Amino acid sequence: MSEKKLQDDCIKVLKEKGIYFINVFGSGRSAKGAPDLITCINGRFVGFELKVGRNRMQDDQKIHKLRIERSGGLHYCPRSVEEFKEILEGIT
């Protein structure tokens, strides 16, 4: 599975559950390392960095994770749509 396919599947789940989200596209104008999906779940800021296979978070992505968590938000790095759904169930 590609990260794009995982992202599409996770977006579908968010839409089905009526959860607000922003799909962050990497470009020269976006914050480098920002989570792939930024959501608001029950009033909580939750970032998702989606990875598949052996892909690991890059240093700039780890910095965003730290900043989000220091600000009281949540940050997750699911590797499958099943793991993504489990995380959502734990938050909602």
Side-chain angles (χ1 to χ4, degrees), residues 1-3 50-57 77 79:
M1 173 184 286
S2 71
E3 285 183 12
L50 307 171
K51 296 292 182 189
V52 296
R54 293 183 178 199
N55 292 351
R56 303 260 185 254
M57 285 200 323
C77 186
R79 297 185 164 274

Side-chain angles (χ1 to χ4, degrees), residues 7 10 14 32 37 43 46-48 57 61:
Q7 190 171 26
C10 292
L14 292 170
K32 187 174 184 210
L37 297 172
V46 185
F48 291 95
M57 285 200 323
Q61 294 169 331

Side-chain angles (χ1 to χ4, degrees), residues 9-18 81 84-85 88:
D9 290 348
C10 292
I11 287 171
K12 182 178 176 184
V13 171
L14 292 170
K15 286 181 178 179
E16 288 171 355
K17 293 185 172 288
V81 71
F84 182 77
K85 287 178 181 178
L88 289 180

Side-chain angles (χ1 to χ4, degrees), residues 43-83:
R44 297 283 316 259
F45 180 101
V46 185
F48 291 95
E49 182 61 44
L50 307 171
K51 296 292 182 189
V52 296
R54 293 183 178 199
N55 292 351
R56 303 260 185 254
M57 285 200 323
Q58 299 171 3
D59 288 341
D60 52 351
Q61 294 169 331
K62 292 176 184 177
I63 290 168
H64 276 277
K65 175 180 170 50
L66 274 171
R67 289 178 177 170
I68 290 167
E69 291 174 342
R70 283 183 184 162
S71 296
L74 301 173
H75 186 284
Y76 297 95
C77 186
R79 297 185 164 274
S80 69
V81 71
E82 292 79 17
E83 184 179 358

